[in-house]
Amino acid sequence: MTHTPSPDTQWPRWEVFKQDAPGKPHQAIGSVHAGDPEHALHTARNVFVRRPAAVSLWAVRWADLLTATPEELTTTPAVLDTSGESGTYHVGIKRTSKRSMTFVDLVGTVEAHGPGDALRLAREQHPDALTWLVFPESAVVRTDDDHGTVESWFAPAVDKTYKQQQAYGVIGRHVGELKRAGRMPGRVNEEPHVGDQKVYDHPHDTVKP
Amino acid sequence: MTAATALSATQTAALIRRLTALADDEIILAHRGGEWTGHAPILEEDIALANIAQDELGHAGLYLGLRTELDGSDPDRLAFFRDAGQYTNTRFTELPKGDWAFTMLRQFLYDAFEALWLQAATASAYAPLAEVAAKAVREEKFHLQHTALWVERLALGTPESERRTQAALTELWPYAAQLFQPVEGEQELAEASLLPDLQGVYTRWQTLVTRHLVEKCGLTLPATFPDSAGRDVHTDHLAPLLAEMQSVARAYPEAETW
């Protein structure tokens, strides 16, 4: 059966990097689809910075990123030959799998002849990383750090904290309150639900040991 | 700075009318924005518009909170148990959501109004309003950037998106003027520096939106007369909107928590 793939009509994908506070590293927190750099930043703000603290957002077009794991470099060492522009490259590394909310932390920059060279330098400087990620400085689109931007993009989120699930009640009384008042049934003793009933006999059920 | 006790009875009544008008516009526009949830052109914009709509609802909560300080009214009762005849929103906000261009253009015109009004309100001699305005204006400036960005991309996008954006502007322009109609007694409050001068806000709004829509986006402002009916006149679109928005609250009027 032949299958003709339909053309990809999605906007380009951008990786989003968020800085929680001055002095902290920018961290890769996810991606957005957007038509252009400015749109990518706006969308990133709405998707990722509605509540948590942030002071700066970067977006980098997915096509401008080069990533590799140690395993990938073993199987495809040619990644280190990836050519591109010479200049300053940002380096991101994943140190641990414990934090699931971020992919990599940006740990600094290197001067490299291209993305592959930057990846090689990243591996030399951080040999124990689980993943390396590099992109040229010229590919970054970032929020301004002027007062107006910080005030309108990031400051409102500071007052908006997450609520734990139990903070939301239910219509009427909370179930805990009803339990304490002895108004919730303990064990279900009515007719079993349809889903609980056996609707067919499995052959194994009849096999005697 | 003026505290609630220093307001005369006439001033209090006019301030309540203005706060309610602001809140009603926010509530109705937020509902129209919310109608895109699950339907926006791309997931990221679905989230973005839902965020903006929630912010607007939050602003309505701030305005109604100010009203509570003046007359002890319950914001939830006002939002969920008044019918179309009692709502004082503009027809501008209650028009059906239309296509994405209509939604973005309306939100842009509204965000420009609210950002400029709030900016002026930060200088209010009524301290509680000045505080609320300082808080809300930050979010509103971001809304304005976001919707301005969208209007620009639609107007300068494809012939189809340009046509739809121009059609939205042509339809919305006369309604937008309603945002600047003073409520009864508002002029006196403006003269006492308790509320922003609406005419001044209108002048700045016209400059801002003309610069963006005409000079940057190449759209044409229609030469239509503004819709001059007051906030007590509604289209047939408001009642069904309220019926949906209020259905849960009216079905469980004694609910203690939400």
Side-chain angles (χ1 to χ4, degrees):
Chain A
M1 191 173 155
T2 57
H3 174 67
T4 310
S6 52
D8 185 359
T9 57
Q10 291 200 95
W11 285 326
R13 180 176 155 193
W14 306 70
E15 188 69 15
V16 178
F17 298 86
K18 177 166 83 79
Q19 186 185 26
D20 289 349
K24 290 206 169 180
H26 281 75
Q27 297 179 303
I29 51 169
S31 52
V32 294
H33 293 89
D36 56 72
E38 202 188 340
H39 185 207
L41 279 183
H42 269 266
T43 308
R45 189 273 190 186
N46 276 316
V47 172
F48 293 110
V49 200
R50 180 160 165 78
R51 283 195 175 81
V55 294
S56 166
L57 273 185
W58 293 6
V60 182
R61 203 183 294 259
W62 187 252
D64 292 323
L65 297 170
L66 186 62
T67 68
T69 61
E71 294 74 20
E72 284 170 334
L73 288 184
T74 307
T75 54
T76 15
V79 172
L80 296 175
D81 300 327
T82 307
S83 62
E85 61 182 274
S86 292
T88 303
Y89 280 76
H90 290 274
V91 173
I93 60 166
K94 185 174 177 63
R95 288 192 180 88
T96 166
S97 297
K98 283 180 184 168
R99 292 198 61 198
S100 60
M101 294 296 285
T102 56
F103 177 52
V104 304
D105 289 358
L106 296 187
V107 290
T109 58
V110 293
E111 296 301 318
H113 304 302
D117 188 36
L119 201 58
R120 187 179 54 73
L121 291 167
R123 183 176 62 163
E124 280 174 21
Q125 293 178 9
H126 307 278
D128 297 331
L130 302 176
T131 295
W132 301 279
L133 174 152
V134 298
F135 55 87
E137 160 65 18
S138 59
V140 184
V141 49
R142 40 166 72 81
T143 51
D144 296 328
D145 53 9
D146 64 286
H147 178 72
T149 300
V150 172
E151 273 293 294
S152 65
W153 283 53
F154 303 123
V158 176
D159 301 329
K160 294 177 181 172
T161 51
Y162 289 108
K163 275 187 183 173
Q164 295 296 329
Q165 200 173 351
Q166 62 263 31
Y168 296 97
V170 293
I171 289 177
R173 300 285 187 77
H174 191 274
V175 64
E177 203 180 326
L178 294 173
K179 274 183 184 166
R180 283 191 295 279
R183 291 172 55 196
M184 285 291 283
R187 286 275 167 191
V188 177
N189 51 11
E190 68 269 31
E191 287 295 302
H193 293 286
V194 173
D196 297 337
Q197 295 180 28
K198 201 172 178 181
V199 292
Y200 72 103
D201 289 318
H202 194 277
H204 290 172
D205 291 349
T206 58
V207 174
K208 299 280 188 284
Chain B
M1 291 289 182
T2 311
T5 47
L7 298 171
S8 72
T10 326
Q11 285 178 325
T12 303
L15 189 52
I16 286 172
R17 273 192 288 275
R18 169 42 69 191
L19 290 169
T20 310
L22 287 163
D24 287 355
D25 274 346
E26 301 272 43
I27 291 168
I28 301 303
L29 191 59
H31 188 86
R32 288 295 184 217
E35 287 177 339
W36 281 100
T37 303
H39 301 277
I42 185 168
L43 175 64
E44 286 87 340
E45 283 304 327
D46 202 305
I47 296 169
L49 186 57
N51 282 347
I52 287 173
Q54 276 194 314
D55 285 346
E56 304 295 24
L57 214 47
H59 297 172
L62 292 173
Y63 295 136
L64 291 179
L66 289 175
R67 176 173 164 172
T68 301
E69 291 173 23
L70 294 172
D71 68 356
S73 56
D74 175 359
D76 280 346
R77 298 295 306 182
L78 290 172
F80 294 113
F81 294 91
R82 277 182 305 155
D83 58 28
Q86 296 167 300
Y87 254 83
T88 61
N89 62 284
T90 53
R91 289 176 297 292
F92 174 78
T93 56
E94 75 196 31
L95 297 173
K97 75 183 198 301
D99 58 19
W100 187 247
F102 186 91
T103 293
M104 286 294 107
L105 188 76
R106 170 164 59 183
Q107 190 69 41
F108 166 74
L109 294 173
Y110 185 81
D111 292 340
F113 155 72
E114 204 195 356
L116 292 169
W117 192 90
L118 284 170
Q119 186 66 55
T122 59
S124 170
Y126 184 58
L129 174 61
E131 282 171 27
V132 157
K135 190 175 177 183
V137 72
R138 305 173 308 178
E139 275 174 348
E140 207 52 40
K141 282 180 179 174
F142 179 79
H143 294 181
L144 178 58
Q145 282 185 28
H146 191 82
T147 47
L149 175 148
W150 259 105
V151 168
E152 181 187 348
R153 277 150 186 76
L154 291 167
L156 303 176
T158 65
E160 174 75 0
S161 70
E162 184 196 353
R163 182 186 65 74
R164 285 171 181 257
T165 312
Q166 181 62 56
L169 179 57
T170 304
E171 183 179 349
L172 281 163
W173 191 247
Y175 288 101
Q178 295 178 335
L179 293 169
F180 301 94
Q181 286 173 359
V183 299
E184 185 193 337
E186 182 159 3
Q187 189 56 37
E188 186 206 332
L189 293 187
E191 282 160 14
S193 300
L194 296 167
L195 282 178
D197 169 41
L198 264 189
Q199 190 56 43
V201 175
Y202 183 55
T203 305
R204 290 194 289 283
W205 178 84
Q206 272 203 316
T207 307
L208 188 155
V209 300
T210 303
R211 190 173 294 154
H212 190 69
L213 296 175
V214 178
E215 295 172 26
K216 194 160 190 179
C217 302
L219 297 168
T220 307
L221 297 182
T224 41
F225 291 106
D227 182 351
S228 59
R231 286 173 174 267
D232 54 340
V233 178
H234 293 290
T235 67
D236 291 340
H237 303 298
L238 181 60
L241 181 155
L242 289 175
E244 184 186 335
M245 189 186 92
Q246 299 175 333
S247 58
V248 176
R250 288 182 186 260
Y252 301 93
E254 302 307 319
E256 292 163 31
T257 50
W258 292 88

